[in-house]
Amino acid sequence: GELFRLRDECREGTLGAPVLAGSCLVDNRLNLDVYPDGCCRFLQLFKERRGEVIQVELLRLSSNDHLLGTTLGSLPHLKHLKSLVLKGGLARDKFGSCQHGSLTSLPQDFGNLRCLTHLDLSFNRLSTLPTCILHLSSLRELLVSHNSLMALPEDFGCLSKLTFFSAMKNQLKGLPQSIGELSMLQTLDLSENALELLPEEVGNLHNCTELYLSGNHLSSIPDSLANLKSLRQLHLHSNLLVTVPASLASLPNLSRLDLQNNCLRAIPAEIQASPFVHLRGNPLGETEPPLQAGNCKASAPVVIHSCISSGSFTVNSEGCEVVLACGIRFYFPPGAASDPLRIQFRSLAPDPQWVKLRHHDVLLSRVLEVKPHGVKFQQEVQIWMPFVSPQTLHQHEVVVRTFSGQTWSDLRTRVEQERESKKPVAHCSVLHFSWFLVVSRLVQNECKVPVEGTLLFSSVDPNIKVIFPHGVTEEPRNVKMQVLLISAEDIEKITANAECRASPLLCLSQDCLVDFLRPVRIQLPLPPGVTGLNLDRSRLHLLHGNLEGQTWDDITSQVVLEFTHLYVVFEVTHFSWYWLWYTTKRYVGGLAKKVYERLRLYQVNFIALQRKKDPEQVLLQCVPKHKVDSVLKKLQNRYRGPEPSDMVEMFEGEQFFAAFERGISIDMDRPDCVGGCLSFIFYSHLKNMKEIYVTTPVDRKGQAVKGQVSFYRGAIPENIPEDASRRRKGPVLWLTTLPIKLPQLKPRRGENPSPPSLLPSFPPLNLGNAETGYLTQANLLSIARRVGADWETIGFNLGLTYQQIQRIRYNNRENLEKQIVDMLFSWAQQNSEDPDCVRKLIGAMEESGRRDIAGEIETIIGLGRQKYSESLRRVGLEQESSTEDSAIAMM
């Protein structure tokens, strides 16, 4: 009865299952991992043809199959089984990533499979190695990579016939001493674990020819490795090694010793002189830095800099740590600067005219400029930059990008958490100052291709490989690989065709303009749902795209495609984008171009809200579609307005404008206004939000003003697809319009029809200093129009006494506008000599819950600083001593 229920569960799409299942049994082999219902087929065969099934010597099942647990109980009956594969990773989630299988353990009687020589349990959920494996006395090859193993059993060495063991991509922190008893072991792969120490017994693996220990936490390796006389390849890159034994150079058969990306400052001369040693990415010859793992040396002086957008500080030979108010940190080690050096910094809004994002890049921070440019420090200066966490981005990595004056390049970056706030920061080290920003890019795998060739595979999808044969190049060259996984759901949604399928998108690039001397072999997985058994070759197309993604050519007839059950292999001599498509459509290149364009578009909505207490204050924002509800929920207590606009699609870095129309205009002169329109740049992970004040020439005492704000596309990003660019050409392109209403003003009791000027009779005012910027009388009046009923709270937070507040209220009773102006200018007169008063004003606004005004002040102080400097020059009062600081602050 149980078998009939299972057969009914998987009957859909498998009519005639007995015939199909029987056809899978060939020469004592059962390859069932290529079928989505493989376990159902096995159970059916086991019931109906048990005598033949128990003679099977090779069995492959997918551990992504939901019937795996039921199937496991039958496997110990296969006494003749020699090779068993229970591997995950064959199914993909909604993001297109390989899903780990469901296997967490094995039945104890698995140990009775005395003939089993090969066992593959990769891509599963094993946290401990099943003890029954230790009873497999004939086992020669064991693969448990891509699991969650924390440790190996102490008696692991009892697998005395083991010749191949792979536990790559687990969480192993140590190894049992018994591992030295694996005297027949030839290949040991423990890369990408958490190993901190190797036992001396590893040196007893006398038959080992390949040892992979890359991507661990090893700071040293035992001298006993010099006993591995059969060793040909030793991979130790991306560890924390500070020393290596010189005896490694004497290994007679060693042909590759990979020590790249470690902490080696000195190595034995014997090793350095060996031709097979790879040392790139080590600080050879450098002195030990005082800063380790992101913690600053306690004795270094700490400078807390209060300026948010720009400023300067001095560094001398003693070094220091500098913390900026915006969260950016610098660490200058002692000796980095030989003489006192003035460092200037400023935080800039990203400008797409010179911030060049590559395809599928996402901007995560503002732009930081640090001067002087071109000065080389004696030691690396460390920088920590806060960024918006890309929580929704899959298969991406965070890097700091810097501008050399001609091109942007990515720095080696480590993502850390701030010690107190726990917010993410990007940590990098530099010898020169320039422009810096944080981006999220597609995960990049790279290698240096030597004359003898090498292998490069993707960490996003290990099934994607590039094989470089011997003699592929005359000189070593750097090669980079990026992979974009695309789900079947996305392909179906964009093409509106359920039969269209596509493989992951592969981008290959190199630092050499010359094609390879010999063909390079590329392995790509077949599109989802397509296998070597059901493949219709007339529907399979290999596409080649240029690096801009503008054109996609079908090169299927120009290359030789080799097929396996799950992969296709082909050869090329130059690099670009490669993409496998499976479809009945004829013009596949146009289809791929459309999909590629849509993958780079973001769906957004525009919102325009007015503050409930002050309708003249308008909040404009461009919000990614999936964030609209949460954003509106946060704003609903303080703002009201129309429903969000209809959905619009935009590219990362695309410019758009907001224009107020039908009797409403922007209330003040702003540096981000172009022709009366407010300029925005869309970045999907940054806040595309501005709060402004609007005004109208219409007398609102007699009527309300029903205006609107319209959004228009602006400059076209240089790297968007040609078809999209063509659609955006011509006159300004309208996106959407939202209503804005300024209500009718209610007459105040006893209101004077011709009120006197609101400006108090104070001396000319320039509030602040050259570094933080100046606020003039006009600026302060503009701020006063935004304060509203919160003026008393703001006054108290500015330090005015209760008696002062009461006097201002009495002297200007029945006139709110005069009360606000009197409060602000009274405070300004008392603090006009305080160079830090602008920062105190911003702080008071934030303490009063008016972050909108605080942000507005920060926006206008730059403009106020410039106007103040110009006014001083006009009257000839500019002091020589302030010229340099003013110039620094204005840059």
Side-chain angles (χ1 to χ4, degrees), residues 396-699:
H396 278 65
E397 59 188 355
V398 173
V399 294
V400 174
R401 186 164 292 171
T402 184
F403 188 62
S404 65
Q406 296 180 342
T407 59
W408 288 90
S409 59
D410 295 341
L411 299 172
R412 186 175 181 182
T413 306
R414 184 166 65 246
V415 175
E416 302 173 357
Q417 279 189 337
E418 277 290 352
R419 288 169 292 210
E420 296 180 1
S421 67
K422 303 301 181 183
K423 293 182 178 179
V425 290
H427 177 197
C428 64
S429 301
V430 296
L431 287 172
H432 302 271
F433 278 160
S434 180
W435 291 267
F436 304 93
L437 51 83
V438 183
V439 300
S440 175
R441 71 180 185 191
L442 291 176
V443 171
Q444 183 169 285
N445 301 112
E446 55 185 302
C447 70
K448 181 179 284 292
V449 180
V451 176
E452 61 266 26
T454 188
L455 169 67
L456 176 63
F457 67 91
S458 168
S459 60
V460 174
D461 186 347
N463 296 314
I464 298 178
K465 301 178 182 179
V466 182
I467 303 168
F468 300 89
H470 181 83
V472 72
T473 180
E474 291 181 346
E475 299 291 338
R477 61 177 80 181
N478 292 314
V479 172
K480 298 177 181 178
M481 169 196 289
Q482 291 179 302
V483 171
L484 178 62
L485 300 180
I486 306 167
S487 68
E489 291 80 3
D490 286 340
I491 295 291
E492 180 178 348
K493 182 179 179 181
I494 297 173
T495 62
N497 188 334
E499 295 183 355
C500 284
R501 301 293 177 87
S503 72
L505 185 52
L506 171 64
C507 179
L508 296 171
S509 59
Q510 58 170 321
D511 61 356
C512 181
L513 299 177
V514 181
D515 287 348
F516 289 100
L517 301 180
R518 296 185 61 189
V520 176
R521 290 176 64 83
I522 298 176
Q523 173 182 293
L524 281 178
L526 288 166
V530 181
T531 68
L533 296 177
N534 62 14
L535 174 66
D536 179 354
R537 296 197 180 191
S538 66
R539 299 175 58 183
L540 190 72
H541 303 269
L542 176 62
L543 302 183
H544 167 269
N546 63 353
L547 291 178
E548 290 75 32
Q550 299 279 13
T551 59
W552 293 91
D553 299 322
D554 189 341
I555 61 171
T556 312
S557 61
Q558 303 173 27
V559 298
V560 177
L561 300 179
E562 303 173 20
F563 296 96
T564 67
H565 283 311
L566 302 174
Y567 311 114
V568 61
V569 180
F570 56 94
E571 294 184 341
V572 298
T573 56
H574 63 281
F575 280 172
S576 187
W577 291 93
Y578 292 98
W579 207 355
L580 272 178
W581 274 74
Y582 195 73
T583 178
T584 56
K585 299 290 184 180
R586 290 188 176 181
Y587 184 44
V588 187
L591 195 64
K593 187 175 181 180
K594 173 185 175 182
V595 172
Y596 185 78
E597 176 185 325
R598 288 287 300 275
L599 288 173
R600 298 179 54 210
L601 282 169
Y602 291 87
Q603 296 182 340
V604 302
N605 299 88
F606 295 94
I607 59 175
L609 304 176
Q610 295 172 263
R611 193 174 177 91
K612 292 179 179 179
K613 292 184 178 180
D614 186 0
E616 294 181 1
Q617 180 185 341
V618 180
L619 181 148
L620 303 177
Q621 189 170 5
C622 176
V623 186
K625 182 180 177 181
H626 67 281
K627 294 183 178 180
V628 171
D629 291 340
S630 61
V631 169
L632 291 177
K633 186 176 181 180
K634 292 178 181 178
L635 298 173
Q636 64 184 1
N637 293 331
R638 292 179 293 134
Y639 296 87
R640 65 165 61 94
E643 290 294 315
S645 72
D646 292 337
M647 188 271 292
V648 174
E649 292 184 329
M650 302 195 76
F651 288 98
E652 183 88 0
E654 186 169 357
Q655 186 181 32
F656 64 95
F657 292 97
F660 289 91
E661 302 161 340
R662 298 181 61 182
I664 295 179
S665 59
I666 299 175
D667 187 32
M668 62 177 296
D669 182 20
R670 293 174 56 112
D672 54 358
C673 280
V674 179
C677 298
L678 201 60
S679 174
F680 292 79
I681 307 296
F682 172 72
Y683 292 107
S684 59
H685 278 60
L686 303 185
K687 285 187 177 180
N688 307 286
M689 179 188 73
K690 293 184 181 181
E691 289 191 80
I692 58 152
Y693 280 80
V694 296
T695 187
T696 177
V698 179
D699 185 1

Side-chain angles (χ1 to χ4, degrees), residues 788-805:
D790 297 325
W791 74 271
E792 292 186 32
T793 302
I794 294 172
F796 284 126
N797 287 325
L798 284 171
L800 297 182
T801 65
Y802 178 76
Q803 290 77 11
Q804 287 176 301
I805 298 292

Side-chain angles (χ1 to χ4, degrees), residues 13 45 149 152 166 177 190 259 269 314 325 335 479 524 598 630 664 725 738 782 784 787 885:
L45 278 169
L149 298 175
L152 296 176
S166 174
Q177 294 180 352
L190 300 171
L259 298 171
T314 301
V479 172
L524 281 178
R598 288 287 300 275
S630 61
I664 295 179
S725 175
L738 296 171
S782 177
V787 171
D885 289 338

